Amino acid sequence: MDFDDGVRRTVKLRGNPQSSSGSQDRILVNELVVARLARLFGAPVPDGDVVAIAPEIVDWVKREVPELTNASPGAAFGRIWIEGVLSPSAETCRSARNRGDLARLVVLYTWTRNTDGKPEHLISKSTPGGAVDILGYDHGHCFDHSWGPDVDGKAGSMTPVAFEPLSTVITSEDLAGALQAVAAVDDLAILGTVSGVPAEWAVPEDEMNALGRYLVTSRAALDGVLTPILGG
């Protein structure tokens, strides 16, 4: 969608079919929190935030996209649209201008329990100088897709999310730098990623607080979870 600020965004609406019935708005929370976390420590993810969608736009969407017949107007999640090539090869990732930052995606996706990490959720974007950057997108299935007030109890059960080609192009030095970047983020900044979620998304405050506790607590375990994947 093209917005009044001149920015084109990919939008996820309330009532999208990405999750099981009754938990759709949690998908929007997942997208928002992951975008905010990426911004905190420089993980290569298109910037995203809450956007407002008018009823007439939703009416048009429902006519054009049958899968979105349950969509609702109001607060939605929008990320900057990236014109690029999906599923970049290992060679493209290895030669990317931001190859060193791809380890931050591995850290981000492990930390946020991304259950939908796959090559199709990477995109290569051409830069004005002729190089390419690699970015990750589509984070609706993070935090085990759906979660509740017990999510903070999962802080000790992370597993590495290092799908190809990420796993084949990052180095132990890249991973060490990414872990240092996460370790440098203040706890209050992490907790801030779960604040200000639109009330109409109807996720209870105690569950948002539990998600914040999960993020703060699990951050300390990332080093032990991820370092062994590269023999560090």
Side-chain angles (χ1 to χ4, degrees):
M1 296 183 183
D2 292 319
F3 285 76
D4 290 342
D5 60 1
V7 176
R8 177 168 291 185
R9 295 178 174 90
T10 299
V11 178
K12 287 190 178 181
L13 301 168
R14 293 186 60 200
N16 75 80
Q18 191 174 13
S19 65
S20 58
S21 177
S23 60
Q24 290 93 338
D25 293 352
R26 229 165 277 265
I27 296 300
L28 305 185
V29 173
N30 294 351
E31 290 279 9
L32 179 62
V33 171
V34 173
R36 289 173 170 177
L37 288 170
R39 197 181 303 149
L40 283 180
F41 73 102
V45 167
D47 198 31
D49 216 324
V50 179
V51 294
I53 305 297
E56 57 268 25
I57 298 297
V58 174
D59 290 341
W60 176 85
V61 167
K62 288 180 178 181
R63 292 193 298 270
E64 296 294 320
V65 186
E67 294 85 358
L68 294 177
T69 54
N70 294 322
S72 301
F77 175 80
R79 67 166 174 84
I80 292 177
W81 167 259
I82 300 297
E83 196 74 54
V85 178
L86 302 180
S87 301
S89 67
E91 181 180 355
T92 299
C93 291
R94 193 171 289 111
S95 62
R97 182 178 68 168
N98 68 336
R99 183 206 57 79
D101 290 335
L102 297 184
R104 300 186 187 218
L105 281 181
V106 173
V107 173
L108 178 67
Y109 291 165
T110 300
W111 191 14
T112 60
R113 311 175 73 89
N114 188 351
T115 59
D116 200 22
K118 53 189 178 184
E120 296 92 322
H121 287 167
L122 298 176
I123 187 169
S124 62
K125 172 190 176 184
S126 297
T127 69
V132 300
D133 285 337
I134 306 297
L135 299 95
Y137 72 98
D138 200 342
H139 305 124
H141 285 202
C142 287
F143 306 113
D144 300 328
H145 186 186
S146 184
W147 47 274
D150 62 343
V151 64
D152 54 339
K154 299 179 179 181
S157 63
M158 291 182 296
T159 57
V161 181
F163 55 89
E164 293 186 0
L166 296 180
S167 58
T168 64
V169 302
I170 66 173
T171 67
S172 56
E173 290 78 12
D174 297 334
L175 187 57
L179 289 167
Q180 289 175 358
V182 171
V185 178
D186 185 79
D187 282 355
L188 290 178
I190 295 173
L191 291 173
T193 65
V194 303
S195 66
V197 171
E200 62 200 88
W201 291 358
V203 178
E205 183 178 0
D206 65 320
E207 298 188 19
M208 293 304 307
N209 290 338
L211 186 60
R213 290 193 298 272
Y214 163 80
L215 289 169
V216 169
T217 304
S218 60
R219 188 256 297 265
L222 282 168
D223 196 310
V225 170
L226 284 170
T227 300
I229 71 172
L230 292 178

